[in-house]
């Protein structure tokens, strides 16, 4: 009796959600399918021209770039991150927390600042090149450029990969591994046949948690790519802040959303454990 | 052998993670303004920090917005979570799916969508819009933090309080809220850190009249960051580090590290 | 026993299309220990929750000391509940849990202290005041839940599967303790369980429910010895239920046998269900001395007795005896007329489900 009634206390938030979550997205959808002066509602008319614009080669390339770079950085994060997660998970409890904390602490420094610090490290006259020079080695010139953007993505999103994998690995019952060994599996077989399959949920949420922010970033590419390798995020930012082409920006946003929804649907096919909480937290 | 390999591997990873941070900290004590040059040790930038109006203002807005949005989103989110947990299954699914949108959507989409809403409704971008935006993206996390606690709670706990003579309001105050307090606290912590850390959504909703630290750093990064910012981030970083150490020592539980 | 305390009249509760409780009538007396017994989903918990005030009945009335209780909210009813899995307040210690109801009623601190201490002593938890409820064992949590309810001196205590989360040994101990408590505080207990043994051990009155309908109300002995239909017979204890025909008064027939019984009042040749409890079947070594001849096909030692399955040419019988007959031996079986219980054939399904979700 009292129960159903208490659902009503959620109503104010439902209204809030409608105004600040649903309406803005509908507006974006609306602008993506119209053209004309955005400040004059009467002037707007239905059009798919901004979607057609997305299909122009120059923009398709940007979108392609975003997905390729985000994909590569996700893969690198997985390759680097999985062993890290495994090493942390296998450390004894006392040191494990210390390791985990050491791993998470950098997140607490503003990520723009950390990215900025990479600029000073990587720039042509930056610290790394000075070091190389001092050692008599050739300079590296990756910034501004794709490599630097990749590095920035891996740097910023690596913890998103490690954490979920670590969480899953640390929950695997040690007896399962012992049982596998007991049944004659050597450590490689045990890993491939037992540990890896059991950690799939962690891998899946790790991939989602890295790929999502990587594909939509505009800060990393702006700072480390020096505008040479614009990503879909940069494009959206430009449309809303400098070129003021909301229609095009909206179409790009819708396309980004759809592509992300599709990749998430694919991922959740592979496993059903939403990364929800962890993602933004870190 | 294997152990040594592990050690070396972890050392390299940690070097990678900490290199930029060490650079920032070292340069906050650098007399030279250039970011490549070491010009001797100094505390000047720390003193400048308190004189620099721009940074002081950005810090002020960052903290003010973080505090207000944390308070509002924690209260609203907790009430909403309590309501949602009592809704019918269909209603709950719909509400939770919409609630998850800001969590799953790229920040940039949330940012431009909110900006579009404000500009279309002729609301001037500024402090209020940025605050609203922060509340918008924080509440979903609070709900996601509180709901599991409500679910964990024995479903008869509220009834037990009524059974013992408590009015519904008294039961809420003295039993339900205290029972889900851990969820509320972690929700608040998440909301606070998200707000402090946010750049993308603030960037699109702040307009030109207000600036928070992230926006300030972003605009400076292209022109060259003032060393005072290095000093500020070193201070913030050490504060957080110390807090983390204290929390870790206190909980001592192991598994539940608050990120 | 004394006067009526609670009366349920045509009480009905529906969830969407499903009728959880279907027009039940029940009278509960003062100081009575009443058990609502039935499989999961039979409506026993819903009935209890309506008495407690946590569900509104769709039809019918609940009377408490002659007064209509329907519109009185839970927190104003002089009834307390021990919930499934206790529902203790985990953010409070043992003392505060027990004190909760008294604090709500603004009882003075001295009085609270006195009553809480006395109650904790009664449930054998003196010295546990400051303990966190999470740190207690299942049995101790159970006692806190009981103390928390009883400290308010309710007229009625509702218990919803209170022992369900305990292991067998503890459950047996708590059964006895609960009974002692009920006797010493002298209040009415309404107890919900799906465990027939628990119901038979503890209750003054057992109410067997199925599908929202009361099947039978009676003393444990009545329910066990004189089940009113196939459902009750099957649900209460283990039994051999056999379809047969009542030839005339005191004569029942099945599998081509005609046996004497003590039942009467059926129509001639009325189809009936016959219940024979496993412990009521005697075995004789010489198969020809038995009414029914059969082969032992399985023997399991159960501690107190051996449980054997004996197959006649028509059916299997479950038999419990303290003497074992080896598998494969051919034996005879006898049943006393008084041990044959004849029931009207109903269309009640006889599935025996486990545990409440």
């Amino acid at each position: 009796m009292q129960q159903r009634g208490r659902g009503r206390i959620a109503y104010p938030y439902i209204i809030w959600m409608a105004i600040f979550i649903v309406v803005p997205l509908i507006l974006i959808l609306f602008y993506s399918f119209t053209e004309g002066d955005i400040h004059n509602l009467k002037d707007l008319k239905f059009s798919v021209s901004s979607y057609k614009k997305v299909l122009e080669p120059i923009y398709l390339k940007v979108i392609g770039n975003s997905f390729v770079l985000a994909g590569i950085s996700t893969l690198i994060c997985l390759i680097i991150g999985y062993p890290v997660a495994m090493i942390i998970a296998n450390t004894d409890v006392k040191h494990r927390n210390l390791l985990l904390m050491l791993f998470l602490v950098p997140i607490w420094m503003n990520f723009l600042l950390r990215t900025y610090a990479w600029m000073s490290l990587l720039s042509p006259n930056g610290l790394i090149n000075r070091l190389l020079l001092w050692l008599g080695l050739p300079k590296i010139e990756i910034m501004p450029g794709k490599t630097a953007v990749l590095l920035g993505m891996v740097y910023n999103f690596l913890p998103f990969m490690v954490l979920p994998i670590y969480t899953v690995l640390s929950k695997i019952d040690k007896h399962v591994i012992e049982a596998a060994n007991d049944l004659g599996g050597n450590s490689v077989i045990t890993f491939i046949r037992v540990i890896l399959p059991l950690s799939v949920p962690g891998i899946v949420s790790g991939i989602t948690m890295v790929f999502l922010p990587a594909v939509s970033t505009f800060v990393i590419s702006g700072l480390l790519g020096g505008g040479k390798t614009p990503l879909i995020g940069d494009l959206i930012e430009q449309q809303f802040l400098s070129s003021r082409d909301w229609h095009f920006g909206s179409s790009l946003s819708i396309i980004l959303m759809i592509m992300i929804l599709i990749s998430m649907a694919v991922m959740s096919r592979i496993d059903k454990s939403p990364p929800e909480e962890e993602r933004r937290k870190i | 052998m294997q152990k040594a390999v592990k050690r070396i591997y972890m050392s390299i990873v940690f070097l990678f993670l900490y290199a930029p941070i060490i650079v920032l900290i070292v340069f906050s004590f650098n007399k030279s303004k250039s970011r490549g040059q070491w010009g001797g040790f100094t505390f000047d930038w720390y003193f400048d920090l308190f004189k620099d109006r721009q940074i002081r203002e950005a810090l002020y807005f960052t903290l003010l917005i973080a505090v207000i949005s944390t308070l509002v989103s924690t209260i609203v989110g907790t009430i909403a979570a309590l309501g949602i947990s009592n809704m019918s299954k269909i209603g709950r699914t719909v509400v939770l799916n919409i609630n998850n949108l800001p969590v799953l959507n790229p920040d940039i989409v949330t940012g431009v969508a909110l900006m579009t809403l404000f500009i279309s409704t002729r609301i001037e971008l500024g402090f209020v819009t940025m605050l609203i935006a922060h509340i918008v993206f924080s509440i979903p996390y609070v709900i996601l933090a509180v709901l599991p606690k409500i679910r964990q709670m024995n479903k008869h706990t509220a009834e037990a309080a009524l059974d013992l003579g408590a009015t519904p309001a008294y039961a809420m105050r003295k039993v339900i809220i205290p029972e889900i307090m851990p969820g509320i606290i972690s929700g608040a912590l998440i909301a606070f850190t998200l707000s402090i850390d946010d750049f993308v959504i603030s960037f699109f909703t702040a307009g030109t009249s207000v600036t928070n630290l992230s926006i300030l750093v972003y605009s400076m990064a292209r022109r060259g960051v003032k060393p005072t910012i290095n000093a500020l981030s070193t201070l913030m970083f050490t504060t957080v580090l110390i807090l983390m150490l204290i929390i870790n020592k206190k909980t001592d539980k192991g598994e539940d590290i608050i990120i | 026993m004394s006067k009526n305390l609670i009366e349920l009249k045509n009480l009905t509760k529906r969830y969407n299309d499903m009728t959880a409780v279907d027009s039940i009538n029940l009278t509960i007396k003062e100081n009575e220990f009443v058990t609502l017994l039935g499989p999961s989903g039979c409506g026993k918990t819903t009935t209890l929750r309506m008495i407690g005030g946590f569900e509104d009945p769709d039809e019918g009335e609940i009377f408490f000391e002659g007064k209509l209780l329907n519109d009185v909210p839970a927190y104003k009813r002089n009834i307390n509940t021990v919930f499934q899995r206790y529902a203790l307040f985990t953010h409070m210690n043992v003392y505060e849990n027990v004190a909760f109801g008294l604090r709500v009623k603004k009882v003075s601190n001295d009085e609270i202290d006195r009553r809480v201490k006395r109650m904790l002593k009664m449930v054998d938890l003196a010295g546990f005041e400051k303990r966190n409820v999470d740190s207690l064992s299942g049995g101790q949590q159970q006692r806190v839940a009981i103390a928390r309810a009883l400290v308010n001196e309710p007229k009625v205590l509702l218990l919803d599967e209170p022992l369900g989360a305990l292991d067998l040994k503890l459950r047996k101990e708590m059964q006895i303790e609960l009974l002692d408590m009920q006797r010493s505080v002298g209040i009415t207990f309404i107890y919900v369980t799906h465990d027939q043994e628990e119901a038979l051990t503890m209750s003054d009155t057992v109410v067997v429910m199925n599908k929202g309908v009361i099947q039978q109300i009676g003393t444990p002995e009545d329910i066990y010895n004189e089940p009113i239909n196939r459902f009750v017979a099957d649900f209460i204890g283990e039994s051999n239920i056999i379809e047969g025909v009542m030839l005339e008064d005191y004569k029942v027939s099945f599998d081509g046998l005609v046996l004497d019984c003590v039942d009467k009042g059926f129509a001639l040749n009325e189809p009936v269900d016959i219940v024979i409890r496993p412990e009521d079947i005697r075995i004789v070594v010489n198969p020809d001395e038995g009414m029914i001849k059969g082969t032992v096909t399985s023997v399991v030692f159960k501690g107190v007795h051996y449980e054997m399955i004996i197959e006649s040419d028509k059916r299997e019988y479950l038999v419990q005896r303290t003497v074992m007959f080896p598998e494969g031996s051919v034996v005879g079986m006898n049943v006393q007329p008084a041990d044959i219980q004849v029931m009207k054939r109903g269309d009640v399904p006889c599935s025996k489900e486990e545990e409440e979700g």
Side-chain angles (χ1 to χ4, degrees):
Chain A
M1 60 185 218
Q2 293 99 337
Q3 297 201 328
R4 274 293 124 79
R6 280 229 310 273
R8 255 177 259 143
I9 60 176
Y11 289 0
Y13 179 60
I14 291 172
I15 294 167
W16 168 276
M17 263 187 354
I19 298 173
F20 292 110
I21 297 177
V22 179
V23 171
L25 290 174
I26 290 174
L27 274 176
I28 291 281
L29 191 69
F30 170 74
Y31 284 120
S32 80
F33 279 110
T34 49
E35 61 180 9
D37 180 10
I38 49 164
H39 295 296
N40 189 350
L41 270 179
K42 285 177 196 133
D43 192 41
L44 293 176
K45 54 177 183 288
F46 176 82
S47 157
V48 290
S49 61
S50 57
Y51 283 99
K52 277 190 191 143
K53 196 168 168 190
V54 175
L55 294 175
E56 284 170 26
I58 170 173
Y59 297 121
L60 277 182
K61 204 182 147 209
V62 170
I63 295 171
N65 259 341
S66 311
F67 277 81
V68 169
L69 278 183
I72 296 174
S73 65
T74 307
L75 194 67
I76 297 175
C77 280
L78 181 61
I79 292 167
I80 299 179
Y82 199 100
V84 172
M86 222 164 118
I87 291 171
I88 299 180
N90 286 332
T91 315
D92 55 297
V93 181
K94 233 166 98 193
H95 295 109
R96 188 196 289 173
N97 282 328
L98 185 73
L99 274 183
L100 203 60
M101 213 183 78
L102 275 175
F103 203 80
L104 294 174
V105 157
I107 299 168
W108 279 83
M109 187 167 248
N110 187 302
F111 104 104
L112 284 157
L113 277 169
R114 282 179 290 142
T115 311
Y116 169 71
W118 275 111
M119 287 170 74
S120 24
L121 279 165
L122 294 173
S123 72
N125 291 315
L127 287 172
I128 290 179
N129 278 330
R130 274 157 199 272
L131 189 70
L132 291 172
L133 202 69
W134 186 70
L135 291 168
L137 294 166
K139 271 180 141 188
I140 50 161
E141 298 208 4
I142 56 170
M143 200 202 88
K146 273 188 195 170
T147 321
V149 174
L150 265 181
L151 189 141
M153 286 178 174
V154 172
Y155 179 81
N156 274 307
F157 306 133
L158 184 61
F160 297 100
M161 183 64 82
V162 173
L163 264 192
I165 298 178
Y166 160 76
T167 311
V168 173
L169 285 179
S170 65
K171 278 181 192 149
I172 294 180
D173 189 349
K174 293 277 177 283
H175 297 301
V176 173
I177 295 162
E178 281 165 17
N181 289 332
D182 182 64
L183 295 169
N186 64 28
S187 46
V188 177
I189 294 181
T190 306
F191 177 77
I192 295 176
R193 302 290 295 274
V194 180
I195 301 178
L196 199 59
L198 282 174
S199 60
V200 165
I203 296 175
V204 168
S205 70
I207 289 176
T208 331
M209 284 162 74
V210 172
F211 188 79
L212 236 71
V215 79
S216 62
T217 184
F218 71 94
V219 180
I220 296 172
S221 49
L223 294 180
L224 295 172
K228 277 189 185 167
T229 42
L231 303 182
I232 189 166
D234 300 85
L235 221 48
I236 295 175
E237 187 226 325
Q238 281 165 22
Q239 306 317 314
F240 281 95
L241 292 183
S242 35
S243 25
R244 299 263 161 194
D245 187 348
W246 282 19
H247 305 294
F248 185 41
S250 298
S251 318
L252 287 167
S253 304
I254 294 288
I255 283 172
L256 181 63
M257 270 179 71
I258 290 172
M259 289 180 135
I260 281 173
L261 280 180
I262 291 171
S263 37
M264 292 219 325
V266 172
M267 283 322 233
S268 68
R269 270 285 153 102
I270 303 175
D271 177 73
K272 292 188 186 275
S273 61
E276 290 163 0
E277 250 170 282
E278 285 149 292
R279 199 191 128 227
R280 182 90 83 90
K281 230 176 131 176
I282 316 170
Chain B
M1 174 57 205
Q2 219 194 348
K3 218 173 175 182
V5 174
K6 278 185 190 169
R7 281 238 167 108
I8 294 168
Y9 184 75
M10 286 306 270
S11 308
I12 295 174
V13 173
F14 277 127
L15 182 70
F16 174 62
L17 286 175
Y18 279 86
I21 290 168
I22 294 164
V23 169
L24 277 180
I25 294 176
V26 169
F27 277 86
S28 73
F29 298 106
N30 183 9
K31 219 171 217 156
S32 160
K33 260 198 170 186
S34 142
R35 51 183 159 141
Q37 212 90 42
W38 180 252
F41 186 85
T42 182
F43 273 119
D44 285 357
W45 309 122
Y46 288 86
F47 294 119
D48 280 4
L49 196 57
F50 298 96
K51 290 183 232 151
D52 190 316
R53 230 189 112 219
Q54 210 183 3
I55 292 179
R56 245 182 20 219
E57 241 183 55
L59 181 64
Y60 168 75
F61 279 124
T62 307
L63 291 177
L64 185 65
I65 289 200
V67 169
I68 301 178
S69 75
T70 302
L71 274 178
V72 175
S73 54
T74 306
I75 293 168
V76 176
T78 303
I79 294 171
L82 285 168
I84 290 168
S85 65
N86 280 316
M87 284 169 74
S88 66
K89 203 176 168 206
I90 307 161
R92 197 168 55 215
T93 316
V94 172
V95 171
L96 280 180
N97 273 322
I98 298 174
N99 181 61
N100 276 345
L101 279 175
V103 181
L104 300 173
N105 254 345
D107 286 354
I108 191 169
V109 175
T110 308
V112 296
L114 281 168
M115 177 186 144
T116 313
L117 173 76
F118 293 136
I119 293 183
S120 306
T121 50
R122 309 276 148 92
I123 296 170
E124 203 177 327
L125 295 183
F127 180 80
V128 176
T129 51
M130 186 157 122
L131 180 62
I132 290 177
H134 279 233
I135 297 172
V136 169
F137 72 69
S138 296
I139 293 177
Y141 289 93
V142 175
I143 291 179
L144 289 178
V146 174
L147 265 185
K149 282 282 153 204
I150 298 177
R151 255 178 236 151
Q152 263 173 39
M153 189 169 62
N154 185 309
K155 59 180 173 181
H156 300 304
T157 301
E159 288 173 0
L162 297 180
D163 184 77
L164 296 167
T167 59
Y170 187 93
M172 178 63 78
R173 228 164 4 105
K174 293 282 181 173
V175 176
I176 314 249
I177 298 289
E179 290 275 330
I180 59 174
M181 207 30 129
I184 299 177
I185 290 173
S186 75
L189 275 176
I190 298 169
F192 189 77
T193 46
L194 285 180
S195 171
I196 291 260
D197 228 37
D198 176 70
F199 164 68
V200 178
I201 295 171
S202 309
F203 186 61
F204 287 102
T205 52
T208 46
S209 56
V210 277
T211 304
N212 66 6
L213 281 176
S214 299
I215 298 174
L216 185 66
V217 174
Y218 184 71
S219 62
M220 279 183 176
R222 303 184 156 182
R223 291 176 272 123
V225 168
K226 287 185 194 168
T228 35
I229 287 280
N230 291 345
L232 177 66
S233 40
T234 304
L235 279 183
M236 288 173 71
F237 180 73
T238 23
T239 316
V240 169
L241 197 63
I242 292 166
L243 277 180
M244 289 280 290
L245 285 171
I246 294 171
I247 292 172
N248 243 31
K249 270 268 147 56
K250 275 205 170 157
T251 49
D252 221 278
K253 258 211 196 141
E255 298 299 315
D256 291 303
I257 290 190
I258 302 156
I259 305 161
Chain C
M1 255 183 261
S2 44
K3 62 178 187 178
N4 293 348
L5 188 66
I6 291 179
E7 274 174 274
L8 310 182
K9 285 196 178 148
N10 300 319
L11 204 60
T12 300
K13 177 75 190 173
R14 296 186 199 90
Y15 295 110
N16 302 324
D17 300 340
M18 203 197 74
T19 306
V21 174
D22 197 355
S23 191
I24 64 170
N25 290 288
L26 181 64
T27 304
I28 295 166
K29 296 196 168 81
E30 254 177 9
N31 299 347
E32 198 177 359
F33 194 126
V34 179
T35 300
L36 306 181
L37 172 69
S40 152
C42 72
K44 57 190 191 300
T45 294
T46 309
T47 306
L48 194 78
R49 289 172 58 81
M50 286 192 280
I51 300 173
F54 308 115
E55 305 279 353
D56 284 336
D58 290 316
E59 279 165 38
E61 290 96 38
I62 303 170
F63 290 99
F64 182 72
E65 296 181 311
K67 271 172 267 169
L68 189 66
L69 200 62
N70 288 39
D71 296 325
V72 180
Y75 57 92
K76 287 188 182 154
R77 297 189 185 189
N78 194 8
I79 294 173
N80 287 113
T81 309
V82 175
F83 290 88
Q84 260 178 47
R85 305 199 164 263
Y86 329 132
L88 296 178
F89 305 134
T90 52
H91 64 287
M92 297 177 183
N93 61 24
V94 170
Y95 184 95
E96 284 306 317
N97 262 280
V98 178
F100 187 88
L102 301 175
R103 292 217 191 281
V104 171
K105 291 184 200 89
K106 304 230 162 30
V107 175
S108 75
N109 278 337
D110 291 348
E111 171 90 2
I112 290 178
D113 200 57
R114 206 170 49 73
R115 279 165 74 174
V116 170
K117 291 246 166 80
R118 195 182 62 203
M119 196 46 72
L120 284 177
K121 203 168 159 202
M122 190 187 112
V123 297
D124 221 7
L125 281 176
F128 282 72
E129 288 85 354
K130 292 274 178 293
R131 289 279 289 274
N132 191 327
V133 289
D134 281 335
S135 70
L136 302 182
S137 70
Q140 289 166 334
Q141 290 189 12
Q142 175 61 69
R143 288 166 219 250
V144 176
I146 293 166
R148 182 178 70 175
L150 285 182
V151 78
N152 302 292
E153 296 168 0
K155 287 249 170 81
V156 181
L157 187 67
L158 309 179
L159 303 102
D160 188 3
E161 304 256 4
L163 307 182
L166 304 180
D167 62 45
L168 186 68
K169 189 162 171 288
L170 204 53
R171 206 151 69 212
K172 301 259 179 204
E173 285 171 22
M174 284 303 295
Q175 286 175 8
I176 296 165
E177 282 189 38
L178 270 176
L179 262 182
D180 286 349
M181 269 182 232
Q182 193 249 348
R183 305 251 152 89
S184 69
V185 292
I187 60 170
T188 305
F189 274 34
I190 305 178
Y191 192 100
V192 158
T193 184
H194 63 270
D195 181 339
Q196 39 100 4
E197 197 191 320
E198 205 165 278
L200 297 181
T201 314
M202 304 173 76
S203 323
D204 297 320
T205 307
V206 177
V207 179
V208 185
M209 292 180 72
N210 187 39
K211 296 196 159 176
V213 179
I214 293 179
Q215 306 290 323
Q216 189 171 3
I217 303 176
T219 64
E221 290 84 357
D222 288 345
I223 301 275
Y224 189 86
N225 293 331
E226 314 279 336
I228 204 164
N229 59 30
R230 193 183 176 111
F231 173 81
V232 177
D234 195 40
F235 193 77
I236 307 289
E238 287 167 298
S239 45
N240 299 288
I241 301 178
I242 303 162
E243 290 176 5
V245 176
M246 198 68 183
L247 298 177
E248 56 188 84
D249 282 356
Y250 311 118
K251 279 260 183 293
V252 67
S253 154
F254 66 92
D255 290 355
L257 297 161
V258 176
L259 298 180
D260 291 332
C261 64
V262 292
D263 298 274
K264 58 177 171 126
F266 292 86
L268 286 181
N269 294 321
E270 183 179 335
V272 290
D273 284 325
I274 299 151
V275 173
I276 305 170
R277 297 286 181 192
E279 66 273 20
D280 290 336
I281 299 178
R282 315 258 162 93
I283 302 179
V284 284
V285 189
N286 182 354
D288 298 329
E289 284 174 21
M291 302 186 275
I292 309 158
K293 198 193 286 182
T295 313
V296 180
T297 57
S298 140
V299 182
V300 178
F301 181 55
K302 290 277 189 179
V304 212
H305 55 249
Y306 292 90
E307 195 168 278
M308 286 167 276
I309 293 174
I310 301 178
E311 210 175 301
S312 76
D313 50 354
K314 291 278 176 22
R315 64 180 67 247
E316 286 179 341
Y317 293 86
L318 187 70
V319 182
Q320 289 166 350
R321 294 275 84 181
T322 48
V323 184
M324 192 265 274
F325 292 83
E327 273 178 44
S329 47
V330 179
V331 293
M333 291 179 279
N334 284 317
V335 186
Q336 298 291 319
D339 292 333
I340 296 174
Q341 166 68 17
V342 179
M343 308 173 304
K344 278 208 187 296
R345 179 86 56 85
D347 53 354
V348 195
C350 51
S351 68
K352 196 180 200 174
E353 288 167 63
E354 286 304 307
E355 244 169 297
E356 198 96 316

